[in-house]
Amino acid sequence: MPRMDVGNKLIWRCLRQHLPSGTRLTSVCRSPENQLALIVRRATSKGYAFKRPPHVNDESSWLEAWRLVNTKDNPVAKPGRSMHQKGLAYDLAGPNLHSILAAIKQAAAKGSIHLIPPRPGWTNPRLEGGCVHVEIDAATLDFDPFDYA
């Protein structure tokens, strides 16, 4: 299970009841250091060789690598600028990403989750590489009241 705080766990509990079978939560909270590690993994897998060890606080040590891996189809935020750092982004994978995307939109339409408004050039939710990335800031757990017998 990805790193989550209590609020993330509650939002996940609300969201997962709407998702198709086989959907997996692959990422939620990600520190700037973990964001940089993601960039390093993707860049080195593409054959990029760092001139010096990358450090979060030294943008010049990783900026060229970030430019290589930050693509339209699979964008990557710079360390310190990711919604994962704020604990508001959820990456979901599964056998049918389009079904996951549709289920998220349906959950939002029902009021079960509240999506962070899209930004210019950035839809929410969206397909990214091999996952659905969604930014959620609130959720409502719906239930039917019942009496104990």
Side-chain angles (χ1 to χ4, degrees):
M1 182 67 72
R3 188 170 72 94
M4 295 190 283
D5 63 21
V6 173
N8 297 127
K9 289 177 183 176
L10 292 172
I11 288 174
W12 173 237
R13 184 175 287 171
C14 295
L15 176 60
R16 73 178 176 196
Q17 63 188 334
H18 298 278
L19 298 171
S21 178
T23 302
R24 298 178 323 278
L25 180 64
T26 60
S27 183
V28 182
C29 295
R30 193 182 302 149
S31 68
E33 292 76 18
N34 288 341
Q35 188 72 12
L36 179 57
L38 174 69
I39 293 166
V40 168
R41 280 193 309 275
R42 289 186 183 179
T44 55
S45 74
K46 291 184 174 196
Y48 183 82
F50 286 86
K51 296 176 181 111
R52 62 184 190 279
H55 294 284
V56 170
N57 295 329
D58 180 6
E59 186 172 301
S60 66
S61 70
W62 50 260
L63 185 61
E64 190 176 315
W66 173 79
R67 287 183 178 137
L68 173 68
V69 300
N70 183 42
T71 65
K72 182 180 183 205
D73 292 333
N74 199 1
V76 180
K78 291 179 179 179
R81 298 187 186 156
S82 171
M83 294 301 266
H84 285 284
Q85 180 181 331
K86 298 176 181 179
L88 298 173
Y90 299 75
D91 290 342
L92 305 166
N96 187 327
L97 297 179
H98 292 284
S99 293
I100 294 170
L101 188 65
I104 292 168
K105 290 177 180 178
Q106 186 177 32
K110 288 181 176 178
S112 296
I113 59 171
H114 181 262
L115 300 175
I116 293 175
R119 301 178 292 284
W122 188 269
T123 59
N124 185 35
R126 62 185 284 137
L127 293 173
E128 286 185 359
C131 74
V132 175
H133 175 92
V134 60
E135 298 173 357
I136 305 170
D137 61 3
T140 302
L141 189 58
D142 190 20
F143 66 96
D144 291 324
F146 61 92
D147 292 325
Y148 288 102

